[in-house]
Coordinates of all heavy atoms in Angstrom, one line a residue:
M1 N -0.8 10.9 8.5 CA -1.6 10.0 7.9 C -1.1 8.6 8.1 O 0.1 8.4 8.3 CB -1.8 10.3 6.4 CG -0.6 10.1 5.6 SD -0.8 10.5 3.9 CE 0.8 11.1 3.5
K2 N -2.0 7.6 8.0 CA -1.6 6.2 8.3 C -2.1 5.3 7.2 O -3.3 5.4 6.8 CB -2.1 5.8 9.6 CG -1.6 4.5 10.2 CD -2.0 4.4 11.6 CE -1.9 3.0 12.2 NZ -0.8 2.2 11.9
V3 N -1.3 4.4 6.7 CA -1.7 3.4 5.7 C -2.1 2.2 6.3 O -1.4 1.6 7.2 CB -0.5 3.1 4.7 CG1 -0.9 2.1 3.7 CG2 0.0 4.4 4.1
I4 N -3.3 1.7 6.0 CA -3.9 0.5 6.5 C -4.1 -0.5 5.4 O -4.7 -0.2 4.4 CB -5.2 0.8 7.3 CG1 -4.8 1.7 8.5 CG2 -5.8 -0.5 7.8 CD1 -6.0 2.3 9.1
V5 N -3.7 -1.8 5.6 CA -3.9 -2.8 4.6 C -4.8 -3.9 5.2 O -4.5 -4.4 6.3 CB -2.5 -3.5 4.2 CG1 -2.7 -4.5 3.1 CG2 -1.5 -2.4 3.8
D6 N -5.8 -4.3 4.4 CA -6.6 -5.4 4.8 C -6.0 -6.6 4.1 O -6.2 -6.9 3.0 CB -8.0 -5.2 4.3 CG -8.9 -6.3 4.5 OD1 -8.4 -7.4 5.1 OD2 -10.1 -6.3 4.1
Y7 N -5.1 -7.3 4.9 CA -4.4 -8.5 4.3 C -5.3 -9.6 3.9 O -4.9 -10.5 3.2 CB -3.3 -8.9 5.2 CG -2.1 -8.0 5.1 CD1 -1.8 -7.0 6.1 CD2 -1.2 -8.0 4.0 CE1 -0.7 -6.1 6.0 CE2 -0.1 -7.2 3.9 CZ 0.1 -6.2 4.9 OH 1.2 -5.4 4.8
E8 N -6.5 -9.7 4.5 CA -7.4 -10.7 4.1 C -7.8 -10.6 2.6 O -8.1 -11.6 2.0 CB -8.7 -10.6 5.0 CG -8.5 -10.7 6.4 CD -9.1 -11.9 7.0 OE1 -10.2 -12.3 6.6 OE2 -8.4 -12.6 7.9
N9 N -7.9 -9.4 2.1 CA -8.3 -9.1 0.8 C -7.1 -9.0 -0.2 O -7.2 -9.1 -1.4 CB -9.2 -7.9 0.7 CG -10.6 -8.2 1.1 OD1 -11.1 -9.2 0.9 ND2 -11.2 -7.2 1.7
C10 N -5.9 -8.6 0.3 CA -4.8 -8.3 -0.5 C -4.3 -9.6 -1.3 O -4.2 -10.7 -0.7 CB -3.6 -7.9 0.4 SG -2.1 -7.6 -0.5
D11 N -4.1 -9.4 -2.6 CA -3.7 -10.6 -3.4 C -2.2 -10.6 -3.6 O -1.7 -11.5 -4.3 CB -4.5 -10.6 -4.7 CG -4.2 -9.4 -5.6 OD1 -3.3 -8.6 -5.3 OD2 -4.8 -9.3 -6.7
S12 N -1.5 -9.6 -3.1 CA 0.0 -9.5 -3.2 C 0.5 -9.4 -4.6 O 1.6 -9.9 -4.8 CB 0.6 -10.6 -2.4 OG 0.4 -10.4 -1.0
H13 N -0.3 -9.0 -5.5 CA 0.2 -8.8 -6.9 C 1.0 -7.5 -7.1 O 1.7 -7.4 -8.1 CB -0.9 -9.0 -7.9 CG -1.3 -10.4 -8.1 ND1 -2.4 -10.7 -8.9 CD2 -0.8 -11.5 -7.6 CE1 -2.6 -12.0 -8.9 NE2 -1.6 -12.5 -8.1
G14 N 0.9 -6.6 -6.2 CA 1.8 -5.5 -6.1 C 1.5 -4.3 -7.0 O 2.4 -3.5 -7.3
V15 N 0.2 -4.1 -7.3 CA -0.1 -2.8 -8.1 C 0.3 -1.6 -7.2 O 0.9 -0.7 -7.7 CB -1.6 -2.7 -8.4 CG1 -2.0 -1.4 -9.1 CG2 -2.1 -3.9 -9.2
C16 N 0.0 -1.7 -5.9 CA 0.4 -0.5 -5.1 C 1.9 -0.3 -5.1 O 2.4 0.9 -5.0 CB -0.1 -0.8 -3.6 SG 0.4 -2.4 -3.0
A17 N 2.7 -1.4 -5.1 CA 4.1 -1.2 -5.1 C 4.7 -0.6 -6.4 O 5.7 0.1 -6.4 CB 4.8 -2.6 -4.9
S18 N 3.9 -0.8 -7.5 CA 4.3 -0.2 -8.7 C 4.0 1.3 -8.7 O 4.8 2.2 -9.1 CB 3.6 -0.7 -9.9 OG 3.7 -2.1 -9.9
V19 N 2.9 1.6 -8.1 CA 2.4 3.0 -8.0 C 3.2 3.9 -7.0 O 3.6 5.0 -7.3 CB 0.9 3.1 -7.7 CG1 0.4 4.5 -7.5 CG2 0.1 2.4 -8.8
C20 N 3.5 3.3 -5.9 CA 4.2 4.0 -4.8 C 5.2 3.1 -4.1 O 4.9 2.7 -3.0 CB 3.1 4.6 -3.8 SG 3.9 5.7 -2.6
P21 N 6.3 2.9 -4.7 CA 7.4 2.0 -4.1 C 8.0 2.6 -2.8 O 8.7 1.9 -2.1 CB 8.4 1.9 -5.2 CG 8.2 3.1 -6.1 CD 6.7 3.4 -6.0
E22 N 7.7 3.9 -2.6 CA 8.3 4.5 -1.3 C 7.5 3.9 -0.1 O 8.1 4.0 1.0 CB 8.1 6.0 -1.3 CG 8.8 6.8 -2.4 CD 8.0 6.9 -3.7 OE1 7.1 6.2 -3.9 OE2 8.4 7.8 -4.5
V23 N 6.3 3.4 -0.3 CA 5.5 2.9 0.8 C 5.2 1.4 0.8 O 5.2 0.7 1.8 CB 4.2 3.7 0.9 CG1 3.3 3.2 1.9 CG2 4.5 5.2 1.1
F24 N 5.1 0.9 -0.5 CA 4.7 -0.5 -0.6 C 5.8 -1.3 -1.3 O 6.4 -0.8 -2.2 CB 3.4 -0.6 -1.4 CG 2.3 0.2 -0.9 CD1 2.0 1.4 -1.5 CD2 1.5 -0.2 0.1 CE1 0.9 2.3 -1.0 CE2 0.5 0.6 0.6 CZ 0.2 1.8 0.0
E25 N 6.0 -2.5 -0.8 CA 7.1 -3.3 -1.3 C 6.7 -4.7 -1.5 O 6.1 -5.4 -0.5 CB 8.3 -3.2 -0.4 CG 9.5 -3.9 -0.9 CD 10.7 -3.7 -0.1 OE1 11.4 -2.6 -0.2 OE2 11.0 -4.6 0.8
L26 N 6.9 -5.3 -2.7 CA 6.6 -6.7 -2.9 C 7.9 -7.4 -2.8 O 8.8 -7.1 -3.5 CB 6.0 -6.8 -4.3 CG 5.3 -8.1 -4.6 CD1 4.1 -8.3 -3.7 CD2 4.9 -8.2 -6.1
R27 N 7.9 -8.4 -1.9 CA 9.2 -9.1 -1.6 C 9.2 -10.5 -2.3 O 8.2 -10.9 -2.8 CB 9.4 -9.2 -0.1 CG 9.6 -7.8 0.5 CD 10.2 -7.9 1.9 NE 10.2 -6.5 2.4 CZ 10.1 -6.3 3.7 NH1 10.0 -7.2 4.6 NH2 10.1 -5.0 4.1
D28 N 10.4 -11.1 -2.2 CA 10.6 -12.4 -2.8 C 9.7 -13.4 -2.3 O 9.4 -14.5 -2.9 CB 12.1 -12.8 -2.7 CG 13.0 -12.0 -3.5 OD1 12.5 -11.3 -4.4 OD2 14.2 -12.0 -3.3
D29 N 9.2 -13.2 -1.1 CA 8.3 -14.2 -0.5 C 6.9 -14.1 -1.0 O 5.9 -14.7 -0.5 CB 8.3 -14.2 1.1 CG 7.8 -12.8 1.6 OD1 7.4 -12.0 0.8 OD2 7.9 -12.6 2.8
D30 N 6.7 -13.2 -2.0 CA 5.4 -12.9 -2.6 C 4.4 -12.3 -1.7 O 3.2 -12.3 -2.0 CB 4.8 -14.2 -3.2 CG 5.4 -14.5 -4.6 OD1 6.0 -13.6 -5.2 OD2 5.3 -15.6 -5.1
F31 N 4.8 -11.6 -0.6 CA 3.9 -10.8 0.2 C 4.2 -9.4 0.0 O 5.4 -9.0 -0.2 CB 4.0 -11.2 1.7 CG 3.3 -12.5 2.0 CD1 4.1 -13.7 2.2 CD2 1.9 -12.6 2.0 CE1 3.4 -14.9 2.4 CE2 1.3 -13.8 2.3 CZ 2.1 -15.0 2.5
M32 N 3.2 -8.6 0.1 CA 3.3 -7.1 0.0 C 3.5 -6.6 1.4 O 2.8 -6.9 2.4 CB 2.1 -6.5 -0.6 CG 2.3 -5.1 -1.0 SD 2.1 -4.0 0.3 CE 0.3 -4.0 0.6
Y33 N 4.5 -5.7 1.6 CA 4.8 -5.1 2.9 C 4.7 -3.6 2.8 O 5.1 -3.0 1.8 CB 6.3 -5.5 3.3 CG 6.5 -6.9 3.6 CD1 6.7 -7.8 2.6 CD2 6.4 -7.4 4.9 CE1 6.9 -9.2 2.9 CE2 6.6 -8.7 5.2 CZ 6.8 -9.6 4.2 OH 7.0 -10.9 4.4
V34 N 4.2 -3.0 3.9 CA 4.2 -1.6 4.0 C 5.5 -1.2 4.7 O 5.8 -1.6 5.8 CB 3.0 -1.1 4.9 CG1 3.1 0.4 5.1 CG2 1.7 -1.4 4.1
I35 N 6.4 -0.5 4.0 CA 7.7 -0.2 4.5 C 7.7 1.2 5.2 O 8.7 1.5 5.8 CB 8.8 -0.3 3.4 CG1 8.4 0.6 2.2 CG2 9.0 -1.7 3.0 CD1 9.5 0.6 1.1
N36 N 6.6 1.9 5.1 CA 6.5 3.2 5.7 C 5.0 3.4 6.1 O 4.2 3.8 5.3 CB 7.0 4.3 4.8 CG 7.0 5.6 5.5 OD1 6.6 5.8 6.6 ND2 7.6 6.6 4.7
E37 N 4.7 3.1 7.4 CA 3.2 3.2 7.8 C 2.7 4.6 8.0 O 1.6 4.9 8.0 CB 3.0 2.4 9.0 CG 2.8 0.9 8.8 CD 2.4 0.2 10.0 OE1 2.4 0.7 11.1 OE2 1.9 -1.0 9.8
N38 N 3.6 5.5 8.3 CA 3.3 6.9 8.5 C 4.1 7.8 7.6 O 5.0 8.5 8.0 CB 3.5 7.3 10.0 CG 2.7 6.5 10.9 OD1 1.5 6.7 11.0 ND2 3.2 5.5 11.6
P39 N 3.8 7.8 6.3 CA 4.6 8.5 5.3 C 4.4 10.0 5.4 O 3.5 10.5 5.9 CB 4.0 7.9 4.0 CG 2.7 7.3 4.3 CD 2.7 7.0 5.7
D40 N 5.4 10.6 4.8 CA 5.4 12.1 4.7 C 4.2 12.5 3.9 O 3.8 11.9 2.9 CB 6.7 12.5 4.1 CG 7.0 14.0 4.2 OD1 7.3 14.4 5.3 OD2 6.7 14.7 3.2
E41 N 3.7 13.7 4.2 CA 2.6 14.3 3.5 C 2.8 14.4 2.0 O 1.9 14.3 1.2 CB 2.4 15.7 4.2 CG 1.1 16.4 3.9 CD -0.2 15.5 4.2 OE1 -0.2 14.9 5.2 OE2 -1.1 15.6 3.4
S42 N 4.1 14.6 1.6 CA 4.4 14.8 0.2 C 4.0 13.6 -0.6 O 3.9 13.6 -1.8 CB 5.9 15.1 0.0 OG 6.7 14.1 0.5
L43 N 3.9 12.4 0.0 CA 3.6 11.2 -0.7 C 2.1 11.0 -0.8 O 1.6 10.0 -1.5 CB 4.2 10.0 0.0 CG 5.7 9.8 -0.1 CD1 6.2 8.8 0.8 CD2 6.1 9.5 -1.6
R44 N 1.3 11.9 -0.3 CA -0.2 11.7 -0.3 C -0.8 11.4 -1.7 O -1.5 10.4 -1.9 CB -0.9 12.8 0.4 CG -2.4 12.6 0.5 CD -3.1 13.8 1.1 NE -2.8 13.9 2.6 CZ -3.5 13.3 3.5 NH1 -4.5 12.6 3.2 NH2 -3.2 13.5 4.8
P45 N -0.4 12.2 -2.7 CA -1.0 11.9 -4.0 C -0.7 10.5 -4.6 O -1.6 9.8 -5.1 CB -0.4 13.0 -4.9 CG 0.1 14.1 -4.0 CD 0.4 13.4 -2.7
K46 N 0.5 10.1 -4.3 CA 0.9 8.7 -4.8 C 0.2 7.6 -4.0 O -0.3 6.6 -4.6 CB 2.4 8.5 -4.7 CG 3.2 9.2 -5.8 CD 4.7 9.0 -5.6 CE 5.2 7.9 -6.5 NZ 6.7 7.8 -6.5
I47 N 0.0 7.8 -2.8 CA -0.7 6.8 -1.9 C -2.2 6.8 -2.3 O -2.8 5.7 -2.4 CB -0.5 7.1 -0.4 CG1 1.0 7.0 -0.1 CG2 -1.3 6.1 0.4 CD1 1.3 7.6 1.3
E48 N -2.7 8.0 -2.5 CA -4.2 8.0 -2.9 C -4.4 7.3 -4.2 O -5.3 6.6 -4.4 CB -4.6 9.5 -3.0 CG -4.9 10.1 -1.6 CD -5.3 11.5 -1.6 OE1 -5.2 12.2 -2.7 OE2 -5.8 12.0 -0.6
L49 N -3.4 7.4 -5.1 CA -3.5 6.7 -6.4 C -3.4 5.2 -6.2 O -4.1 4.4 -6.8 CB -2.4 7.2 -7.3 CG -2.4 6.7 -8.8 CD1 -3.7 7.0 -9.5 CD2 -1.2 7.2 -9.6
A50 N -2.5 4.8 -5.3 CA -2.3 3.4 -5.0 C -3.6 2.8 -4.4 O -4.1 1.7 -4.7 CB -1.2 3.2 -4.0
V51 N -4.2 3.6 -3.5 CA -5.5 3.2 -2.9 C -6.6 3.0 -4.0 O -7.3 2.0 -4.0 CB -6.0 4.2 -1.8 CG1 -7.4 3.9 -1.4 CG2 -5.1 4.2 -0.6
K52 N -6.6 3.9 -4.9 CA -7.6 3.8 -6.0 C -7.3 2.7 -6.9 O -8.2 2.1 -7.5 CB -7.6 5.2 -6.7 CG -8.7 6.1 -6.3 CD -8.8 7.3 -7.3 CE -8.5 8.6 -6.6 NZ -8.2 9.7 -7.5
S53 N -6.0 2.4 -7.1 CA -5.6 1.4 -8.1 C -5.7 0.0 -7.6 O -5.6 -0.9 -8.4 CB -4.2 1.7 -8.5 OG -4.0 3.0 -9.0
C54 N -5.8 -0.2 -6.3 CA -5.8 -1.5 -5.7 C -7.0 -2.3 -6.2 O -8.2 -1.9 -6.0 CB -5.8 -1.4 -4.2 SG -6.1 -3.0 -3.4
P55 N -6.8 -3.4 -6.9 CA -7.9 -4.1 -7.5 C -8.8 -4.8 -6.5 O -9.9 -5.3 -6.8 CB -7.3 -5.1 -8.4 CG -5.9 -5.3 -7.9 CD -5.5 -4.0 -7.2
K56 N -8.3 -4.9 -5.2 CA -9.1 -5.6 -4.2 C -9.7 -4.7 -3.1 O -10.2 -5.2 -2.1 CB -8.2 -6.7 -3.5 CG -7.4 -7.6 -4.5 CD -8.4 -8.6 -5.1 CE -8.5 -9.8 -4.3 NZ -9.3 -10.8 -4.9
Q57 N -9.5 -3.4 -3.4 CA -10.0 -2.4 -2.3 C -9.4 -2.8 -1.0 O -10.1 -2.7 0.0 CB -11.5 -2.3 -2.3 CG -12.1 -1.5 -3.5 CD -12.5 -2.4 -4.6 OE1 -13.1 -3.5 -4.4 NE2 -12.1 -2.1 -5.8
A58 N -8.2 -3.2 -0.9 CA -7.6 -3.6 0.3 C -6.8 -2.5 1.1 O -6.2 -2.8 2.1 CB -6.6 -4.8 0.1
L59 N -6.7 -1.3 0.5 CA -5.9 -0.2 1.1 C -6.8 0.9 1.6 O -7.8 1.2 1.0 CB -5.0 0.3 0.0 CG -3.8 -0.6 -0.4 CD1 -3.0 0.2 -1.5 CD2 -2.9 -1.0 0.7
K60 N -6.4 1.5 2.7 CA -7.1 2.6 3.3 C -6.1 3.6 3.8 O -5.0 3.2 4.3 CB -7.9 2.1 4.4 CG -9.3 2.8 4.6 CD -10.3 2.1 5.4 CE -9.9 2.0 6.9 NZ -10.9 1.4 7.7
L61 N -6.4 4.9 3.6 CA -5.5 5.9 4.1 C -6.3 6.7 5.2 O -7.4 7.2 4.9 CB -5.2 6.9 2.9 CG -4.1 7.9 3.2 CD1 -2.8 7.3 3.7 CD2 -3.9 8.8 1.9
E62 N -5.7 6.7 6.4 CA -6.4 7.4 7.5 C -5.7 8.7 7.8 O -4.4 8.7 7.9 CB -6.4 6.5 8.7 CG -7.7 5.7 8.8 CD -7.8 4.9 10.1 OE1 -7.0 5.2 11.0 OE2 -8.6 4.1 10.2
G63 N -6.4 9.7 8.0 CA -5.8 11.0 8.4 C -5.5 11.9 7.3 O -5.4 11.5 6.1
Ligands
SF4_1 S1 -2.6 -3.3 -4.9 FE1 -4.0 -4.0 -3.2 S2 -4.3 -6.2 -3.5 FE2 -2.5 -5.6 -4.7 S3 -0.7 -5.9 -3.4 FE3 -1.4 -3.8 -3.1 S4 -2.8 -3.8 -1.4 FE4 -2.6 -5.9 -2.1

């Protein structure tokens, strides 16, 4: 599976990083980074929750 971020919509407030810090990281520069674009299958539930929790619908999970 692959995590895709629509950075045009992302507000970088980091809800996703709170839900799944294994994949999403909010850095000191106030931008959100995907630190693992092809995460292990075991992280799927947390990533799906992050996708659902994103207030800007800026996240997509493929595969
Ligand atoms: S939750 Fe959505 S809008 Fe917020 S930082 Fe993550 S991807 Fe961006």
Side-chain angles (χ1 to χ4, degrees):
M1 70 181 148
K2 191 169 163 38
V3 177
I4 296 163
V5 184
D6 175 1
Y7 281 103
E8 301 245 320
N9 282 328
C10 174
D11 65 6
S12 292
H13 284 174
V15 178
C16 52
S18 308
V19 174
C20 187
E22 295 89 342
V23 174
F24 307 101
E25 185 174 279
L26 195 64
R27 297 199 183 145
D28 289 345
D29 61 6
D30 277 343
F31 284 104
M32 191 282 286
Y33 293 83
V34 174
I35 52 176
N36 185 356
E37 276 192 345
N38 296 289
D40 191 79
E41 195 55 39
S42 62
L43 286 170
R44 184 180 291 272
K46 283 179 99 171
I47 298 167
E48 283 177 347
L49 185 61
V51 170
K52 262 191 241 161
S53 305
C54 173
K56 309 290 272 183
Q57 285 92 47
L59 292 177
K60 216 162 68 178
L61 187 59
E62 270 188 8

